[in-house]
Amino acid sequence: MSSVMHHPATELLLDYHNGRMPRGQGLTVRAHVEACAECRAQLRLFDVIGAALLEDTDGIEMSADALDLALARIERPEERVAQPIAKPAKPKPYLEGIALPAGLTAQDFKSRYWAAPGVWIASLDNETDGAHTYLMGVKGGMNMPDHDHKGLELTVVLTGRFSDVGGDYLPGDLVAQAPGDIHAPAIAGGQECICLISALAPIAPKTLLGKLLKPFARI
């Protein structure tokens, strides 16, 4: 039985299914989906519903030579769009030993930096859609400062566990924080907690310590 207890809202999962999410937030949901049989089943249901809707859609009349034109393009391989060759993932020594979901292993993360004692961050490279997506590792037993959110933030737990006012989060769990959601994650003792986080806007610290650390954290 899966230990995943926290899932994205149906609207978020539908946006992911339809490709309507920023890259980083899509990767965050994908990491959850890889661990969650319930959400994988929900995505299959979306496929079935979409196929049924297509069957009920009236067709569009095609021109008499549509088939000939399509066959002609198939027979002219020189006009096909060249597919980019997938580049091997760059070695990331600072991520060795971290069990990343399959959807993240080919992603390029920048070198990690220390945001605070016991807290490191490695940002996703080449983001162009306004989101900030990053891996964050926090030493077991630490408490993060209270903070609000200026935009939607999605967090999926990869290793370890943490808790806040919304509950207890284990590997695979996904939590969405919207503006006005104030929390102070507490990391369980004994194991580093590593999460993938994607935020559409910077956090808003509510404590003096958080405000002092924010320039170093760069989140």
Side-chain angles (χ1 to χ4, degrees), residues 63-83:
S63 63
D65 60 348
L67 179 59
D68 292 335
L69 291 173
L71 291 174
R73 290 192 61 83
I74 293 173
E75 292 169 359
R76 293 200 296 272
E78 69 278 2
E79 293 187 4
R80 297 178 188 173
V81 177
Q83 296 298 317

Side-chain angles (χ1 to χ4, degrees), residues 118-141:
V119 182
W120 61 261
I121 289 174
S123 298
L124 184 67
D125 203 2
N126 298 318
E127 282 196 285
T128 59
D129 49 24
H132 181 199
T133 305
Y134 51 95
L135 294 167
M136 173 182 277
V138 184
K139 183 179 178 181

Side-chain angles (χ1 to χ4, degrees), residues 85-93 95 100 102-109:
I85 299 174
K87 296 180 180 179
K90 296 179 181 178
K92 308 176 185 69
L95 297 182
L100 293 176
L104 294 180
T105 54
Q107 301 300 320
D108 194 13
F109 289 89

Side-chain angles (χ1 to χ4, degrees), residues 24-25 27-28 104 109 120-124 127 131-138 144 147 149 152-158 162 175 177 183 185 194-201 203 219:
Q25 297 218 322
L27 287 173
T28 306
L104 294 180
F109 289 89
W120 61 261
I121 289 174
S123 298
L124 184 67
E127 282 196 285
H132 181 199
T133 305
Y134 51 95
L135 294 167
M136 173 182 277
V138 184
M144 305 300 289
H147 60 273
H149 303 80
L152 178 65
E153 177 187 271
L154 301 181
T155 299
V156 62
V157 181
L158 302 182
F162 76 89
V175 56
Q177 300 285 348
H183 69 156
I194 300 175
C195 297
L196 177 68
I197 303 169
S198 186
L200 297 184
I203 64 171
I219 55 174

Side-chain angles (χ1 to χ4, degrees), residues 43-65:
L43 290 172
R44 289 193 293 271
L45 178 60
F46 291 160
D47 287 335
V48 171
I49 294 172
L53 290 174
L54 283 176
E55 288 182 359
D56 292 338
T57 302
D58 294 333
I60 299 174
E61 185 176 353
M62 301 178 67
S63 63
D65 60 348

Side-chain angles (χ1 to χ4, degrees), residues 134-217:
Y134 51 95
L135 294 167
M136 173 182 277
V138 184
K139 183 179 178 181
M142 291 188 63
N143 291 336
M144 305 300 289
D146 285 279
H147 60 273
D148 198 347
H149 303 80
K150 296 181 180 179
L152 178 65
E153 177 187 271
L154 301 181
T155 299
V156 62
V157 181
L158 302 182
T159 64
R161 63 193 295 173
F162 76 89
S163 60
D164 64 10
V165 293
D168 195 24
Y169 305 97
L170 302 173
D173 283 335
L174 184 143
V175 56
Q177 300 285 348
D181 292 336
I182 300 174
H183 69 156
I187 313 304
Q191 182 183 5
E192 180 182 42
C193 181
I194 300 175
C195 297
L196 177 68
I197 303 169
S198 186
L200 297 184
I203 64 171
K206 307 301 287 185
T207 66
L208 178 59
L209 176 61
K211 292 175 182 178
L212 291 174
L213 290 174
K214 191 174 188 299
F216 301 96

